[in-house]
Amino acid sequence: MKIVKKILIALLLVLVIAQFFSPDKNTGDTKDLTAFLEETKPNEEVKAILKNTCFDCHSSNTVYPWYSKITPVNYWMAEHVEDGKKHLNFSKWADYSIKRKDHKFEELIEEVEEKEMPLPSYTWSHTEADLSPEQIEAVVAWAKKVRMGYALQSIPQK
């Protein structure tokens, strides 16, 4: 029994020390989203949906909940945000080519329609991000409209 007690004390000590270390926060400026918002022109409903469901993991501007200060949760969240930004980063929208933007919107439509995004692990703690059928329809309609604009831009000029 003494060995179990020593192991538990050691684990507790490691957990306490780990609280003094944390990953860098993903805190940018909301101005980073300007290029994306101006180019894609979401209406107020879609803009609110994007803010509540996408921007935390897919931009340089994450709003962190209270539990993000707890190690190891903070490392898990940092990994999720980095992975999300690797796939789609609205803050880097101006750096994407028209072809890449169109492809990202194609993926966005597919992920939202199939309810793959937002992730269940995100909606579990952010209930406002659990999209209703009407919200999904609004996002998909907006995204398809944006894609039509990109298709027109891709047509070679005579």
Side-chain angles (χ1 to χ4, degrees):
M1 196 63 163
K2 284 186 176 185
I3 189 87
V4 172
K5 187 176 180 181
K6 287 181 182 181
I7 291 172
L8 288 175
I9 290 172
L11 286 173
L12 180 63
L13 185 61
V14 167
L15 189 62
V16 169
I17 291 170
Q19 300 310 306
F20 293 101
F21 303 94
S22 62
D24 291 334
K25 297 272 187 182
N26 183 49
T27 52
D29 193 341
T30 54
K31 292 177 187 170
D32 294 345
L33 297 168
T34 303
F36 170 75
L37 294 171
E38 286 179 356
E39 184 174 310
T40 62
K41 297 176 180 42
N43 62 34
E44 289 305 315
E45 177 190 12
V46 172
K47 195 183 297 185
I49 292 168
L50 294 170
K51 181 180 178 193
N52 290 332
T53 62
C54 305
F55 291 160
D56 275 350
C57 296
H58 295 285
S59 78
S60 297
N61 194 21
T62 301
V63 177
Y64 288 94
W66 66 268
Y67 52 83
S68 68
K69 293 176 176 56
I70 301 170
T71 300
V73 174
N74 52 8
Y75 283 96
W76 178 75
M77 287 179 68
E79 180 191 346
H80 270 268
V81 170
E82 280 304 310
D83 188 53
K85 286 171 42 178
K86 182 175 60 177
H87 291 285
L88 172 61
N89 189 344
F90 294 117
S91 296
K92 301 286 185 187
W93 196 251
D95 299 339
Y96 290 1
S97 68
I98 296 295
K99 184 177 179 180
R100 187 171 184 197
K101 289 174 183 181
D102 180 58
H103 180 67
K104 293 300 177 185
F105 264 86
E106 179 183 22
E107 290 176 332
L108 183 150
I109 291 166
E110 181 180 325
E111 295 286 323
V112 171
E113 283 182 329
E114 294 177 4
K115 298 185 180 183
E116 297 292 325
M117 282 289 156
L119 293 173
S121 60
Y122 186 79
T123 59
W124 180 76
S125 58
H126 297 82
T127 55
E128 73 281 359
D130 194 7
L131 299 177
S132 69
E134 294 80 16
Q135 290 173 312
I136 291 171
E137 188 177 315
V139 170
V140 169
W142 162 76
K144 287 179 177 180
K145 183 179 175 183
V146 172
R147 282 199 75 204
M148 282 192 290
Y150 290 141
L152 290 173
Q153 290 180 36
S154 298
I155 297 172
Q157 301 295 320
K158 290 184 180 183

